[in-house]
Amino acid sequence: MTAPTVKLSSGYEMPLVGFGLWKVNNDTCADQVYEAIKAGYRLFDGACDYGNEVEAGQGVARAIKDGLVKREELFIVSKLWNSFHDGDRVEPICRKQLADWGVDYFDLYIVHFPISLKYVDPSVRYPPSWTNEAGELELGNATIQETWTAMESLVDLKLARSIGVSNFSAQLLMDLLRYARVRPSTLQIEHHPYLTQTRLVDFAQKEGIAVTAYSSFGPLSFMELNLKDAQNTPPLFEHDVIKGLAQKYSRTPAQVLLRWATQRKIAVIPKSNNPTRLAQNLQVTDFDLEGSELEAISALDKGLRFNDPIAYGLPIPIF
């Protein structure tokens, strides 16, 4: 099966369920993308920071060559890293990323974080990092308006069909909307029952900005990063509320969590290298939770954020 879509402000349709490429190993990435396409996935969420765009593109190319899919049937997402926020750096890095993917345009290109870092040439370090070649964090001088104006030029040049942002607050969205010639089509945020961000989601959706959730399974994505909060937080898969609903609907806990989001028109980008779970994660729009059940899941909110620069020892309190 393939996922239903949500219409973006740009006029394009974005699948409600996609495959996230964060932490997908280089040696398995091409095969995982190929198998995901075979399973019915059409949206692939990448970033230059993930360091696997070449391999992801290889998986796409093989699937197209084998006749599994046409390019226009795919929705390929990538992101602008912090060290390329200067206006004259945006187009060159986007073109490099397109070349890595082996495609002519991105369906969606996103500002990864609302923060500018000093430019580091890709020939010096790539994939990029939070720090420079000396291992130091150096802030850049680009404003969000400068960066967004350059992002808009990507649409004019047909290098990106839609543009969006990630990890932005409501206040930053309000500011961006004041001067945006091309409105952001999407907002990608950490979103799970332990971090519902209800006010931010409501504001974005009211403004016609589609919301995409990352880390839909909460602490699970961060266990291997040795984050204390992740290790000390009860797994969502084992929570009584989630387990009870999974049993009621004969679904997996993962499917319940993904349906909680998609039923509220929030797109999701889970990943799995297990063929069974891969298929299950895509089958999350063919049943409905009751309103009281959606509320019960949302009531698990702890305001607990895992993907925070501060947690990685970086003095950037952007949240």
Side-chain angles (χ1 to χ4, degrees):
M1 67 175 292
T2 55
T5 61
V6 57
K7 190 163 187 177
L8 303 181
S9 59
S10 59
Y12 292 97
E13 299 280 345
M14 182 180 76
L16 203 54
V17 182
F19 187 92
L21 292 164
W22 182 47
K23 296 195 301 178
V24 174
N25 294 335
N26 294 74
D27 57 347
T28 63
C29 185
D31 288 337
Q32 285 187 251
V33 168
Y34 183 88
E35 292 301 323
I37 291 174
K38 186 184 292 186
Y41 286 84
R42 295 296 178 262
L43 184 154
F44 291 88
D45 181 85
C48 67
D49 180 55
Y50 301 165
N52 54 16
E53 293 195 292
V54 170
E55 293 80 4
Q58 291 169 348
V60 166
R62 193 196 318 164
I64 292 174
K65 181 181 178 182
D66 290 352
L68 298 182
V69 72
K70 298 176 181 177
R71 166 64 185 97
E72 56 268 26
E73 296 171 337
L74 295 174
F75 194 98
I76 296 177
V77 184
S78 192
K79 304 181 186 74
L80 176 79
W81 185 245
N82 312 328
S83 50
F84 305 111
H85 276 213
D86 295 300
D88 60 344
R89 304 296 186 185
V90 174
E91 182 186 337
I93 194 62
C94 179
R95 289 187 181 277
K96 171 179 169 39
Q97 292 176 254
L98 287 168
D100 286 348
W101 272 94
V103 297
D104 297 326
Y105 65 90
F106 286 123
D107 294 274
L108 175 63
Y109 195 61
I110 296 173
V111 178
H112 205 149
F113 280 94
I115 187 165
S116 169
L117 297 179
K118 188 174 180 181
Y119 174 73
V120 176
D121 193 282
S123 65
V124 174
R125 170 180 283 181
Y126 199 87
S129 170
W130 284 94
T131 58
N132 61 19
E133 48 275 50
E136 302 167 336
L137 179 77
E138 281 190 285
L139 296 178
N141 294 318
T143 64
I144 291 174
Q145 184 170 7
E146 177 184 347
T147 303
W148 191 253
T149 299
M151 293 284 288
E152 292 172 326
S153 73
L154 301 180
V155 177
D156 299 334
L157 294 167
K158 301 189 186 308
L159 299 178
R161 287 184 165 181
S162 304
I163 51 177
V165 295
S166 181
N167 300 303
F168 272 49
S169 66
Q171 297 93 321
L172 288 177
L173 282 180
M174 290 176 195
D175 186 64
L176 175 58
L177 291 171
R178 290 188 180 101
Y179 53 75
R181 173 173 60 87
V182 178
R183 288 171 66 89
S185 290
T186 66
L187 167 67
Q188 188 172 127
I189 56 172
E190 180 180 346
H191 177 269
H192 45 76
Y194 289 150
L195 183 70
T196 60
Q197 303 204 71
T198 305
R199 293 179 180 177
L200 176 57
V201 170
D202 289 347
F203 174 77
Q205 291 182 333
K206 181 181 177 182
E207 289 293 333
I209 302 170
V211 177
T212 297
Y214 68 77
S215 300
S216 294
F217 305 143
L220 183 64
S221 300
F222 301 91
M223 294 294 290
E224 64 193 68
L225 301 180
N226 294 319
L227 293 183
K228 182 182 294 185
D229 282 344
Q231 293 175 333
N232 294 339
T233 302
L236 282 165
F237 286 177
E238 298 175 15
H239 197 287
D240 288 344
V241 171
I242 307 302
K243 285 169 59 179
L245 291 171
Q247 184 175 10
K248 174 182 175 180
Y249 289 100
S250 298
R251 300 285 176 146
T252 67
Q255 287 175 310
V256 170
L257 291 169
L258 296 175
R259 187 54 181 149
W260 169 73
T262 57
Q263 195 169 327
R264 293 153 51 238
K265 304 301 181 186
I266 297 173
V268 292
I269 46 174
K271 71 171 184 292
S272 178
N273 56 10
N274 179 290
T276 300
R277 288 197 295 270
L278 191 69
Q280 290 172 341
N281 288 346
L282 197 56
Q283 296 170 349
V284 293
T285 57
D286 58 347
F287 73 104
D288 287 334
L289 300 167
E290 297 176 8
S292 60
E293 293 167 344
L294 292 172
E295 292 173 2
I297 296 174
S298 297
L300 303 180
D301 185 34
K302 298 174 179 288
L304 189 54
R305 186 185 304 277
F306 299 107
N307 191 33
D308 187 342
I310 294 292
Y312 303 103
L314 298 167
I316 311 176
I318 60 174
F319 296 118

